[in-house]
Amino acid sequence: MPHYRRAAVLVALTRETDPRVLLTVRSGDLPTHKGQIAFPGGSLEAGETPVQAALREAQEEVGLSPASVQILGEVDDVFTPIGFHVTPVLARISPTVLDTLTLTPEVAEIITPTLAELRAVGHFHEVRTLPDGTEVPLYRHPWRGYDIWGMTSRVLHDLLTSGPGQESEA
């Protein structure tokens, strides 16, 4: 089995009838994933849990105070074609917290699509073949001129088809 680098992302949803999800547009100045849309997150540091890493990265990337985050739990891990083992950490935040967020050199923009908007645009599903021959799904969510794809879109797909926010449409 290949060596995967451990990482975590914070999947923060606002406490609203139609929750918004906190996403970042990565800076074009970064060495990797330039301009891609991502959840706040990154590699785990030595001795760190996925929850600790997701909270730390969200604070570093957008100034989200860990005290303002209610952790709901971890969802299914995702393995990326470029060698990351990512644990998405699901959380709730107050919608007013979005007004306090700040951009850092890693983040060009903060976007907050609602779950209903993402459901409405649907997704495109492609299949990508990894070098070892394994086929993996590749999802894309087009939203207001943004192309949300890759691991971020895969986590969103899982969230939209089986996660929180489903009750808002009942």
Side-chain angles (χ1 to χ4, degrees):
M1 178 171 180
H3 172 73
Y4 285 91
R5 191 166 157 192
R6 289 299 314 266
V9 295
L10 187 69
V11 182
L13 302 174
T14 58
R15 286 186 201 94
E16 297 177 279
T17 303
D18 183 13
R20 290 178 278 167
V21 60
L22 173 62
L23 297 171
T24 66
V25 179
R26 292 177 50 88
S27 169
D29 298 330
L30 295 174
T32 60
H33 309 295
K34 296 175 186 191
Q36 289 183 9
I37 296 171
F39 297 105
S43 295
L44 272 65
E45 294 181 352
E48 203 172 39
T49 68
V51 169
Q52 291 167 332
L55 289 171
R56 175 183 51 76
E57 288 283 346
Q59 187 169 31
E60 290 174 5
E61 291 179 16
V62 296
L64 180 62
S65 168
S68 66
V69 178
Q70 176 193 4
I71 299 296
L72 300 177
E74 299 174 8
V75 296
D76 292 343
D77 289 352
V78 178
F79 294 84
T80 70
I82 61 167
F84 281 95
H85 171 181
V86 182
T87 301
V89 176
L90 190 61
R92 294 307 288 260
I93 58 174
S94 166
T96 59
V97 168
L98 297 177
D99 297 330
T100 68
L101 302 180
T102 57
L103 298 179
T104 61
E106 283 185 56
V107 177
E109 188 177 353
I110 295 169
I111 61 173
T112 57
T114 69
L115 295 185
E117 287 175 316
L118 292 171
R119 276 191 197 97
V121 299
H123 70 274
F124 298 106
H125 178 211
E126 305 166 21
V127 175
R128 178 176 282 178
T129 303
L130 301 180
D132 68 1
T134 305
E135 291 186 345
V136 295
L138 175 65
Y139 297 100
R140 294 184 109 91
H141 287 84
W143 178 76
R144 296 187 185 181
Y146 294 95
D147 182 20
I148 305 169
W149 65 281
M151 191 272 315
T152 301
S153 189
R154 183 168 169 195
V155 171
L156 286 172
H157 174 265
D158 292 349
L159 181 68
L160 294 169
T161 57
S162 63
Q166 294 287 84
E167 67 279 359
S168 68
E169 294 191 349

